[in-house]
Amino acid sequence: MAVGVDSPAPCCPKGSHVALAPQSGACCGHEITLGVDGSGGGGGFRCYTSGAPTASRTAVLVFHDVFGMDSGNHKMVCDALAAQHYVIMPDFYDGWSIEPFYNAGKAGDGKKELARFNWAWCSPRVEAVLQHLSEIGIEKTGSIGFCWGAWGVAKACQD
């Protein structure tokens, strides 16, 4: 049983809702690679994108949760938002997820490992995404975050 599908993950506050089970079906977006300096190519990081820059020139920057970009319904949420906006979700963890630690009963070790994804790690990725958005003509950007991602949104709003 995957963590959080039948009950909230142990890291969630008391009274939290359970995670949505991953939905079947293909996602509409695709992945791009950005470099930490905003360029594409080697040494970069993955981003899931959906939608296209529209006449509104708006984008939504999505911050995933502690289970990583490829877990749950993150991509489906991105696709839904893409009906009216260009949406981009960077893989802040480079493929890492806390789920194996929870499944092994070692959540504490996972939380220690999670600490390496601090703002010094994430900020250059946010800057690269913002540069990419500027290059494709985006004029207004909003953001949403799930679980850990809410912290990322708050940090991004401070800068």
Side-chain angles (χ1 to χ4, degrees):
M1 166 180 25
V3 172
V5 173
D6 296 321
S7 62
C11 61
C12 295
K14 237 183 181 141
S16 296
H17 293 281
V18 299
L20 295 173
Q23 301 296 307
S24 60
C27 294
C28 304
H30 66 280
E31 288 188 10
I32 62 171
T33 301
L34 296 178
V36 290
D37 63 352
S39 65
F45 60 98
R46 298 181 312 141
C47 297
Y48 181 79
T49 65
S50 193
T54 62
S56 70
R57 301 283 187 205
T58 60
V60 178
L61 170 55
V62 177
F63 289 74
H64 56 72
D65 64 17
V66 296
F67 297 101
M69 180 177 94
D70 296 312
S71 70
N73 293 307
H74 295 107
K75 292 177 181 176
M76 293 187 80
V77 170
C78 291
D79 292 344
L81 291 168
Q84 296 182 15
H85 311 281
Y86 177 75
V87 181
I88 186 164
M89 176 177 54
D91 181 1
F92 288 104
Y93 298 167
D94 289 341
W96 185 87
S97 172
I98 202 168
E99 186 166 9
F101 293 93
Y102 279 112
N103 290 342
K106 297 182 178 187
D109 292 343
K111 290 176 184 178
K112 288 177 189 170
E113 184 73 19
L114 180 65
R116 72 182 163 116
F117 301 108
N118 57 28
W119 193 241
W121 172 270
C122 296
S123 179
R125 287 157 176 75
V126 171
E127 290 301 321
V129 167
L130 294 176
Q131 180 179 336
H132 165 71
L133 294 176
S134 176
E135 290 170 357
I136 63 171
I138 298 298
E139 297 173 357
K140 296 178 184 177
T141 304
S143 56
I144 62 170
F146 301 95
C147 180
W148 171 91
W151 167 83
V153 171
K155 291 298 287 185
C157 291
Q158 287 179 325
D159 286 353

